[in-house]
Amino acid sequence: MMEGFNIGKLRIPMPIVQGGMGIGVSLSGLAAAVANEGGVGVISCAGLGVLYSKIKKDYVQACIEGLKTEISKARAKTKGVIGVNIMCVLTNFEDMVRVSIEEKIDVIFSGAGLPLDLPKYLKEDSVTKLVPIVSSARAAKLICQKWKSIYNYLPDAIVLEGPKAGGHLGFKAKELEDERFSLEELTPQVLKEIKVFEEEYNQKIPLIVGGGIYTGADIYNFLKLGATGVQMGSRFVTTDECDASQVFKQTYLDATITDMEIIQSPVGMPGRAIKNAFLDKVKEGLKKPVVCPYHCLRTCEMEKTPYCIVAALYNAYRGNMNSGYAFAGSNAYLATKITSVKQTFLDLKEEYQNKLDSLSVVSV
């Protein structure tokens, strides 16, 4: 039986955090469904201003209204734990953090850069837990040191994302296939760094690991390694409650292992996506820069990039794969059907138990 864990005083009945997936892939629908099953449901803040542009013409204001609306919608559907994912590279990072804390979101997950000043946004009456996303033991140590020395605050948990994750990756391209950077290798390294702070300050810092985790057997393996919980994204894309279009979900069902490819994102980071005609055109140089209406990412230089990543991901979310593409984890091709979040949790529990049973047989 999979055991839950705590993030501060927040009780998580199942050791599963749903990864934040933008644009529009994980909104209130998916987040609430996951929370209802005992996991942590996560709303992605990326590109919310595009989704809510009809409410507010100004992109920044549309992002704020979109975030407030999605949090409210999720709260109306669940009493479970809801988080938001806010990338450090967002130009409106501060707005998204402030709004999330004001709306009393349970957890903020923040990566795509080091959120070194995240605790400064908390107020005396804030209830929001802060969870940085890292890709190395060095980054985990640095964040703990900075937060404690400047704000007298330690992370309420840490997410370690390995090189098999979907979307933007915190690794150099040459590191992605290097076993020294595998999640299995990184997990004990980060645990070692965390333990130093746990012992010195007598505070538990749960480690949540993600990147390529797809089955209940995977969950077992990483909990056995010492992780407190896991982060899963791709497994929840092919659910009824996932907020993306059916066409988007179908790309996962149609994908084979050879379709999972590493791309160079316009924001200057490698990323993992499902190969398609749009990405082929990018590689062939057939895509040209366009005027940027959003300026949503600090690291994006529109005059040098072949396409607007927000537009491409928004198109994919709506099902227009000719003008976009789907980010996906390394094992996304394993998807065979669309099912409910409830059934997905039941399947994960069964897979986990089957792993336990198989080990019992071997030990006998």
Side-chain angles (χ1 to χ4, degrees):
M1 181 69 178
M2 285 187 272
E3 294 184 5
F5 68 104
N6 278 39
I7 298 180
K9 293 182 180 180
L10 290 173
R11 182 61 185 169
I12 320 297
M14 292 288 289
I16 296 173
V17 175
Q18 165 245 310
M21 298 172 284
I23 290 171
V25 180
S26 63
L27 300 174
S28 56
L30 178 57
V34 170
N36 280 331
E37 297 306 316
V40 180
V42 181
I43 298 165
S44 171
C45 287
L48 281 175
V50 182
L51 276 62
Y52 281 85
S53 59
K54 291 183 179 179
I55 295 177
K56 294 283 186 179
K57 295 300 181 185
D58 178 77
Y59 178 78
V60 173
Q61 289 302 311
C63 284
I64 291 173
E65 288 302 316
L67 180 54
K68 288 181 178 180
T69 300
E70 290 300 324
I71 291 174
S72 176
K73 287 166 67 175
R75 285 290 179 224
K77 298 175 183 176
T78 184
K79 295 185 183 299
V81 178
I82 296 290
V84 295
N85 182 287
I86 310 174
M87 297 191 298
C88 294
V89 294
L90 294 179
T91 53
N92 62 342
F93 173 79
E94 288 195 13
D95 286 336
M96 296 291 93
V97 171
R98 292 184 193 280
V99 170
S100 297
I101 292 173
E102 288 170 3
E103 295 294 312
K104 300 189 182 302
I105 195 70
D106 293 319
V107 189
I108 290 176
F109 297 91
S110 187
L114 296 178
L116 295 177
D117 64 348
L118 192 56
K120 81 177 185 181
Y121 300 100
L122 293 175
K123 307 295 183 183
E124 286 189 12
D125 62 343
S126 296
V127 297
T128 301
K129 305 305 178 186
L130 306 181
V131 180
I133 302 172
V134 303
S135 57
S136 70
R138 179 175 175 273
K141 179 180 180 180
L142 178 60
I143 288 173
C144 288
Q145 287 177 330
K146 291 288 187 181
W147 284 20
K148 190 63 181 177
S149 64
I150 299 174
Y151 306 106
N152 192 31
Y153 195 99
L154 284 174
D156 295 291
I158 290 176
V159 171
L160 168 64
E161 278 190 4
K164 293 184 178 180
H168 292 118
L169 305 169
F171 299 86
K172 296 176 181 177
K174 65 182 180 180
E175 296 172 343
L176 298 179
E177 300 301 325
D178 189 331
E179 284 302 311
R180 292 176 299 173
F181 297 92
S182 69
L183 190 58
E184 289 83 354
E185 289 292 321
L186 294 175
T187 296
Q189 295 173 22
V190 175
L191 283 170
K192 183 179 178 181
E193 292 294 349
I194 288 175
K195 186 177 180 181
V196 173
F197 292 91
E198 288 182 322
E199 292 181 348
E200 183 173 355
Y201 298 105
N202 192 30
Q203 178 179 327
K204 178 66 177 173
I205 306 175
L207 179 64
I208 301 156
V209 300
I213 296 174
Y214 196 85
T215 68
D218 295 333
I219 296 174
Y220 174 86
N221 291 338
F222 282 99
L223 295 185
K224 194 70 174 176
L225 264 181
T228 310
V230 299
Q231 177 180 275
M232 307 178 76
S234 296
R235 184 72 183 254
F236 291 112
V237 170
T238 50
T239 60
D240 298 316
E241 294 91 343
C242 173
D243 298 280
S245 69
Q246 290 301 117
V247 175
F248 184 98
K249 298 174 190 180
Q250 190 64 40
T251 63
Y252 277 54
L253 301 183
D254 295 339
T256 65
I257 190 170
T258 57
D259 291 322
M260 314 312 297
E261 69 173 4
I262 300 299
I263 66 169
Q264 187 60 34
S265 167
V267 303
M269 303 169 70
R272 179 173 282 105
I274 298 175
K275 182 179 180 180
N276 72 353
F278 177 87
L279 290 173
D280 287 341
K281 290 178 181 178
V282 172
K283 284 181 281 189
E284 294 167 10
L286 299 179
K287 290 294 176 182
K288 302 297 180 184
V290 296
V291 175
C292 176
Y294 311 118
H295 185 53
C296 58
L297 300 172
R298 293 191 181 102
T299 55
C300 184
E301 298 181 62
M302 201 61 211
E303 65 278 3
K304 297 180 181 179
T305 186
Y307 63 93
C308 172
I309 190 168
V310 168
L313 296 179
Y314 175 63
N315 287 332
Y317 149 78
R318 296 184 63 192
N320 179 9
M321 305 308 294
N322 291 323
S323 299
Y325 59 90
F327 275 138
S330 62
N331 288 320
Y333 70 92
L334 294 173
T336 59
K337 61 183 179 180
I338 306 294
T339 187
S340 67
V341 167
K342 179 178 284 293
Q343 186 60 51
T344 299
F345 269 82
L346 290 173
D347 291 343
L348 288 170
K349 290 176 186 177
E350 182 179 359
E351 293 159 8
Y352 184 93
Q353 188 61 48
N354 288 342
K355 174 71 175 183
L356 274 177
D357 293 343
S358 68
L359 292 172
S360 298
V361 171
V362 171
S363 64
V364 171

